[in-house]
Amino acid sequence: MSTILFLDLNTVSFPTDEFGMEKGLRQGDPIAPLLFLVVVEGLNGLLKQAVQLRKYSGYNLGNSEEVTVSMLQFADDTLFFGVASLQNAQTIECILRCFELVSGLKMNFHKSKLGGIALEGALAQRLAWVLNCRRMEIPFTYLGLSVGANPRKLSFWDPVISRLRSRLSRWRQKSVSFGGRLTLISSVLSSIPLFYLSFYLMPKGVIQTCKRIMRTFLWGGAEGHKKLAWIKWDVVCKPKEMGGLGIKNWNVFNKALLGKWRWRLMHEQNSLWGNVLRAKYTIPNLGDTVERRGKASEWWKDIL
C-alpha cells in the first residue's frame, strides 16, 4: 500500500461540492464478495423468469420430470443447464447482455465454455458461435477435479501422484529431521489428495504408490535409494495412543469421506443434490439393495 503524506502549510481551505465515488469496488475489498452475491442473485431471477415464460428449458431428471435444474452458482462460477437448442442459447445470450447493462459487470465469454452430452458436433459448434464462447470437451476439469473421467483408471490419479513427487523434490533439497518429515507428511502430504478422496474411491494400486512415496520419504530415503523401514506402515498409521505415529490411513480415510455423502443424503432431505440423486435413481433407503434407474455413474457405485 502506498503512503500518502499530508503537509499542512497553514493555508485557508474552502468547502467544495460533493463528489461521487466512481472507482467502484476493487479486487480484495472485504465487502466485494457479499455485494457480488447480492448482484448475481439478479441473474438467477432473470433465468427463473425466462423459465416461467417458457423461453428457456432446463434439464429434467427422472421419468416424470421430478427435478429440473436450470442453473447452479458457486462463488463466481455460473453453470447453465438445459436442452441443447438454439432458443436456449439465444435466451442465455439475451439474459447475460441484459445483466451486463443492469449490473455493470462484464462477462468474459472467452473463458466461458459450452459442452454437452451426446451432442452433435455441428450443433455444438453453432451454439458456441451464438454464445461467442469455446467448446468444452468431456472429460473436463472443474475446481481442480476431473469431471467425466473414469476414476477406476490409474491415469486419473496422475495429478495427485505428480503433486506428491513435486512437493517432495523441494523438501529433499533441505536437511529435514525425522520429526520434521513426520510433520510434513501429516500436515501437507495428507491434505493434497483430500479433494479427490472426498468424491472418488482411490484404487488400491494408487494407494500403494502413494504409500511407497510417503514411506520412502519418512525413513529418509529417495526414489531409487531406499532405506530400511523399521516399522510396518500399518503400525505407523495407527493413532499415537495405540503406538503409531498418527499418519492417516488413506484407504480408511477415503471410505469415511465417501460415507459422509450417505449420511448427508439421509439428513438433508430438501437439498438440491439429494433431490437430483433421488430423481435419477430410485432410493427407497440407503441399504445395500437400492434399485437403479438408468446407468449408474462410477461415483454412485462407490457410494453404494
Side-chain angles (χ1 to χ4, degrees), residues 138-140 145-153 155-156 200 298-299:
I138 299 178
F140 59 93
L145 201 65
S146 181
V147 180
N150 188 0
R152 296 286 194 274
K153 296 183 178 180
S155 59
F156 177 86
Y200 300 111
E298 299 297 334
W299 177 82

Side-chain angles (χ1 to χ4, degrees), residues 262-273:
R262 294 174 64 99
W263 177 265
R264 292 184 59 185
L265 191 60
M266 287 188 292
H267 290 79
E268 299 179 9
Q269 298 295 331
N270 297 323
S271 61
L272 177 60
W273 72 275

Side-chain angles (χ1 to χ4, degrees), residues 43-60 65 68-71 80-83 87-88 91-92 95:
L43 181 61
N44 189 16
L46 289 174
L47 186 64
K48 286 183 178 179
Q49 186 70 16
V51 173
Q52 293 177 359
L53 296 176
R54 297 185 179 181
K55 298 294 184 180
Y56 186 85
S57 301
Y59 182 74
N60 299 320
E65 300 183 0
T68 301
V69 180
S70 301
M71 183 175 66
F80 291 92
F81 294 88
V83 179
Q87 178 180 345
N88 272 358
T91 302
I92 292 177
I95 289 175

Side-chain angles (χ1 to χ4, degrees), residues 226-290:
K226 297 182 180 180
K227 287 191 176 182
L228 180 63
W230 294 97
I231 305 175
K232 291 183 179 180
W233 188 253
D234 294 337
V235 178
V236 172
C237 292
K238 288 184 178 181
K240 294 182 179 180
E241 56 269 17
M242 298 179 62
L245 296 178
I247 296 178
K248 284 186 175 65
N249 186 328
W250 283 13
N251 188 21
V252 178
F253 188 53
N254 188 197
K255 292 181 179 179
L257 292 176
L258 293 180
K260 179 187 66 175
W261 294 108
R262 294 174 64 99
W263 177 265
R264 292 184 59 185
L265 191 60
M266 287 188 292
H267 290 79
E268 299 179 9
Q269 298 295 331
N270 297 323
S271 61
L272 177 60
W273 72 275
N275 293 333
V276 168
L277 289 179
R278 295 184 184 94
K280 184 174 177 58
Y281 310 106
T282 304
I283 308 177
N285 53 57
L286 287 180
D288 295 331
T289 57
V290 178

